[in-house]
Amino acid sequence: MKKFFIAFAVAAIAVAGSFAQDAVADAMAAAEAAREEVPQSLQGTWYDKKYDCNWVFSLNTTEKALCKLVDASTGHVYYKFTKDNVQNFQQKNDVTSGVTISFECAAKNRKYVFNKSISGTLDLNIDIYNTSYEERHQATITFKGAQMD
């Protein structure tokens, strides 16, 4: 009878180990998929007064939109930045500097960096570098709200 219980225990441990490996693999796949999306802390609309436009960050699973640039007065969408038209997309979450998203857009000849610091303010720091004219637009843009378009 002892041998039966020992064999049963070994089999149970083997089955549990198999389920644990599947659970770990599923968790890793979910974490990878989450990294592909815009972080929750960069969801919303920010106003850039220099150009009278809004930067709108949202999760749009159909287009996998990173963000879009919208005329603040008319609502006209100037450009949608998606995973299909940006290069070198990077997302960093740092305890000291906050959330940073950066990417390049060859169609616009620009490099974009968006940083949401942990300072407690809802505003967003942007750094846009025009590679054609070697000009830089750096500003702190004002949070307008979390409503998504």
Side-chain angles (χ1 to χ4, degrees), residues 67-146:
C67 65
K68 59 185 172 181
L69 184 59
V70 179
D71 184 293
S73 302
T74 66
H76 171 75
V77 176
Y78 290 125
Y79 200 77
K80 282 186 185 181
F81 297 90
T82 69
K83 295 194 178 194
D84 295 330
N85 64 16
V86 303
Q87 302 79 41
N88 301 322
F89 175 80
Q90 293 183 351
Q91 171 186 316
K92 296 177 186 168
N93 299 321
D94 187 273
V95 203
T96 56
S97 62
V99 176
T100 302
I101 290 179
S102 63
F103 57 87
E104 298 173 22
C105 182
K108 293 294 182 184
N109 296 317
R110 288 175 175 79
K111 295 179 181 180
Y112 300 86
V113 178
F114 302 89
N115 176 263
K116 170 74 174 65
S117 72
I118 59 168
S119 65
T121 178
L122 296 175
D123 297 340
L124 187 65
N125 298 313
I126 62 171
D127 182 357
I128 302 170
Y129 180 70
N130 184 318
T131 56
S132 296
Y133 299 108
E134 297 183 359
E135 294 175 346
R136 175 164 262 128
H137 169 55
Q138 293 177 311
T140 299
I141 56 178
T142 308
F143 183 70
K144 287 184 61 176

Side-chain angles (χ1 to χ4, degrees), residues 21 38 56 75 106:
Q21 284 180 333
V38 177
V56 181

Side-chain angles (χ1 to χ4, degrees), residues 3-39:
K3 288 181 183 178
F4 173 75
F5 284 121
I6 291 172
F8 181 75
V10 169
I13 290 171
V15 169
S18 174
F19 283 121
Q21 284 180 333
D22 289 344
V24 168
D26 290 345
M28 289 175 67
E32 183 65 30
R35 270 192 295 255
E36 299 257 331
E37 303 296 348
V38 177

